[in-house]
Amino acid sequence: MGDYKVKDITLADFGRKDINLSEVEMPGLMECRNRYSKDTFANCRIAGSLHMTIQTAVLIETLDALGANVRWCSCNIFSTQDHAAAAIAEAGTAAVFAWKDESLAEYWECTLNAVTYPKDDGKGFGPDMIVDDGGDMTLLVHKGVEYEKAYAKDGSLPDASTTDDEEMKIVLGLLAREIPKDPLRFTTMAKRIVGVSEETTTGVHRLYQMSKAGTLLFPAINVNDSVTKSKFDNLYGCKHSLPDGIMRATDVMIAGKKAMVCGYGDVGKGCAMALKAQGAIVYIAECDPICALQACMEGFHVSRLEDVVGIIDIFITATGNKGIIMATDMAKMKNNAIVGNIGHFDNEIDVKGLHSKDIKKMEIKPRVHRFTFPDGHGIILLAEGRLLNLGCATGHPSFVMSNSFTNQTLAQIELWTNRTKGTYETGKVYVLPKKLDEMVARLHLEKLGAVLTTLTKEQADYIHVSADGPFKPETYRY
């Protein structure tokens, strides 16, 4: 067995066929393999924590084609596509540690395996860069450094009993086990890491908080806020994959149903568009007056959850916040109301509150459960409150992920090629320049048969831009 842990290596042939299909649908990412030298990432270790899907396999093999030594895990216990993981493992293009339906303990072991290389290359056992989605790999490194300092000071180790958070208990337990083995593992790791590129809104929030607090140990590029990521993956990706997940999970007809989307950011907008297109009557819950006004102008009802909870058939959380739908809310819902989440983490829905002794849980099929309340009515929970589009379906389609992952590749190239120039400072969070954002868009237009209009010099001068772009100021909101 090679350096990997997957569910079933015999799925590799199926995975390879699917990867081949996706490569055709990912023109931007594939063009990176032609544009950049095969030794772009020479002597570079890249560790990734991002949904181990077919689309991610194409990203991994792009990094590998440009010379990187790649290790990978998934950033969600339900999101791995096992045939994708098997194909990567068999090809050896990355050491991969991921399978669908991991336990939380297995998930963090996979994260540890992905960030830890088997040999010391003279700079330690860590990676040179991280590709993160949600910030868990970045979190593990930072927590490791924090507790190694405490261990060096007084021999103390992390104590899982100091937190009520079940996942953090696992992280602290893992660090308590590992730190005595190598008391400087994470400290050495953090010093060699030249940067992280972060995929999603929630992970970006974490990075900005750490940067503000002065605790971020290396530079970061915020990929999420590239226009060709947030306005495409978050919007059009969710527009595609939300109804796919709902229908695969429940086979319910959406037309005519009342649906509430909690949150009307880019993700919420895509979800609302998709539900409206299916014929649902859509309600929006929103705290931001600008987003609420946008929802009104699109013809959606803007209401508080508590005012309509008894009439809604489908509830979707898309806020990036916590405690959005509580067990007390679900107790008031219609019988067999569908409840799902498409925000990154699993704390938007009060899943813990559903596991009380008075509420009965029944598995309908994997990642689809019915919870029955004492009065006999029940709700249907998708993907245990985690990302339903990946837990119950296959996530976003390849073309839109090509936009996101071309940005990821460019971010990694930026960090690596500028690592000695001081371009990206430790502790700061950056976005990719608009010229690169526009390049990502250009790389996808031919696939769609689009032909751009070219400005004359006189026209370009009139609006004070180059005829080759960038065409908008940094303040422009698409």
Side-chain angles (χ1 to χ4, degrees):
M1 181 175 173
D3 190 14
Y4 63 82
K5 189 171 183 181
V6 300
K7 183 166 284 186
D8 185 356
I9 195 67
T10 67
L11 296 173
D13 183 57
F14 171 33
R16 181 54 54 188
K17 291 172 183 173
D18 214 353
I19 290 169
N20 292 341
L21 290 176
S22 282
E23 287 179 347
V24 178
E25 277 288 293
M26 303 185 84
L29 197 50
M30 297 302 289
E31 179 59 24
C32 289
R33 302 185 191 182
N34 299 323
R35 279 193 181 216
Y36 297 99
S37 164
K38 297 191 184 308
D39 62 357
T40 299
F41 293 125
N43 302 311
C44 176
R45 293 173 166 185
I46 298 177
S49 170
L50 195 154
H51 309 288
M52 186 57 250
T53 63
I54 288 295
Q55 292 73 31
T56 301
V58 183
L59 168 61
I60 287 170
E61 297 201 326
T62 299
L63 299 174
D64 173 76
L66 299 183
N69 179 353
V70 185
R71 294 177 77 81
W72 213 266
C73 63
S74 192
C75 62
N76 185 296
I77 61 174
F78 295 140
S79 65
T80 296
Q81 294 170 3
D82 288 318
H83 64 314
I88 292 298
E90 184 180 74
T93 41
V96 58
F97 306 89
W99 57 93
K100 202 173 190 73
D101 296 321
E102 297 165 3
S103 68
L104 281 174
E106 289 170 335
Y107 169 84
W108 283 102
E109 292 291 346
C110 288
T111 306
L112 179 65
N113 277 318
V115 82
T116 306
Y117 282 71
K119 293 182 179 179
D120 183 343
D121 63 354
K123 296 186 291 181
F125 293 92
D128 294 295
M129 296 191 292
I130 292 173
V131 176
D132 221 346
D133 187 349
D136 280 352
M137 188 173 280
T138 302
L139 172 78
L140 183 63
V141 173
H142 280 74
K143 285 293 181 187
V145 172
E146 176 188 338
Y147 285 106
E148 282 178 351
K149 286 180 180 177
Y151 186 70
K153 182 180 179 181
D154 56 22
S156 63
L157 287 168
D159 181 358
S161 68
T162 59
T163 178
D164 293 328
D165 185 293
E166 291 303 316
E167 195 159 0
M168 190 51 66
K169 284 180 183 291
I170 292 169
V171 175
L172 296 183
L174 181 149
L175 291 173
R177 184 193 74 200
E178 293 297 317
I179 287 173
K181 297 178 185 176
D182 182 355
L184 291 175
R185 178 201 295 191
F186 293 103
T187 302
T188 306
M189 197 179 285
K191 286 178 180 176
R192 81 174 284 168
I193 292 174
V194 301
V196 57
S197 55
E198 171 56 51
E199 175 79 3
T200 200
T201 309
T202 313
V204 165
H205 285 325
R206 277 184 175 179
L207 289 173
Y208 281 120
Q209 287 167 354
M210 293 164 74
S211 179
K212 186 177 180 180
T215 58
L216 182 60
L217 298 173
F218 33 77
I221 291 183
N222 164 9
V223 168
N224 181 73
D225 287 328
S226 293
V227 177
T228 44
K229 196 281 181 183
S230 61
K231 299 295 181 182
F232 289 83
D233 173 324
N234 298 21
L235 184 69
Y236 301 112
C238 292
K239 182 182 176 184
H240 173 102
S241 65
L242 174 81
D244 186 27
I246 293 171
M247 290 186 281
R248 289 199 203 201
T250 67
D251 293 319
V252 73
M253 187 170 190
I254 295 173
K257 300 290 196 305
K258 292 182 175 69
M260 169 162 267
V261 178
C262 299
Y264 197 68
D266 290 322
V267 172
K269 287 178 173 70
C271 295
M273 289 165 62
L275 293 164
K276 182 179 180 179
Q278 287 290 327
I281 302 159
V282 181
Y283 293 73
I284 303 295
E286 187 46 85
C287 65
D288 184 324
I290 296 174
C291 292
L293 184 58
Q294 287 179 315
C296 289
M297 300 299 280
E298 291 293 341
F300 300 122
H301 302 274
V302 176
S303 306
R304 297 185 306 174
L305 173 68
E306 58 265 35
D307 293 336
V308 295
V309 68
I311 66 168
I312 302 294
D313 301 288
I314 302 169
F315 296 84
I316 303 298
T317 56
T319 69
N321 210 321
K322 68 174 186 175
I324 304 304
I325 297 179
M326 305 304 291
T328 50
D329 298 314
M330 291 180 270
K332 300 171 187 174
M333 290 178 181
K334 294 170 69 171
N335 187 46
N336 281 6
I338 296 166
V339 182
N341 169 53
I342 199 165
H344 184 82
F345 290 122
D346 64 341
N347 56 357
E348 299 205 28
I349 299 168
D350 179 21
V351 178
K352 185 177 181 180
L354 287 175
H355 288 81
S356 81
K357 61 181 180 181
D358 297 325
I359 303 172
K360 295 179 180 178
K361 178 182 179 181
M362 176 181 70
E363 182 176 88
I364 297 171
K365 59 183 177 182
R367 296 168 297 285
V368 181
H369 296 88
R370 188 175 190 272
F371 289 84
T372 305
F373 290 82
D375 66 358
H377 96 286
I379 62 98
I380 297 170
L381 180 68
L382 306 185
E384 297 186 24
R386 294 178 180 268
L387 287 167
L388 75 89
N389 59 328
L390 279 152
C392 300
T394 56
H396 296 347
S398 297
F399 186 80
V400 80
M401 292 313 300
S402 181
N403 283 269
S404 296
F405 290 166
T406 304
N407 277 297
Q408 279 285 9
T409 302
L410 294 178
Q412 292 283 301
I413 291 170
E414 276 288 300
L415 289 167
W416 185 244
T417 57
N418 290 290
R419 65 191 183 278
T420 61
K421 300 175 184 177
T423 308
Y424 298 104
E425 295 180 27
T426 293
K428 292 188 176 180
V429 184
Y430 300 84
V431 292
L432 288 171
K434 193 170 289 290
K435 193 172 186 68
L436 291 180
D437 222 344
E438 289 185 359
M439 187 185 89
V440 172
R442 285 180 187 275
L443 292 177
H444 292 86
L445 288 173
E446 184 180 350
K447 175 75 176 174
L448 300 176
V451 181
L452 285 170
T453 298
T454 303
L455 294 180
T456 65
K457 184 179 186 306
E458 184 179 4
Q459 288 171 325
D461 290 346
Y462 183 72
I463 59 173
H464 307 291
V465 301
S466 164
D468 299 320
F471 294 96
K472 301 289 190 294
E474 293 298 331
T475 53
Y476 186 81
R477 295 169 180 171
Y478 290 81

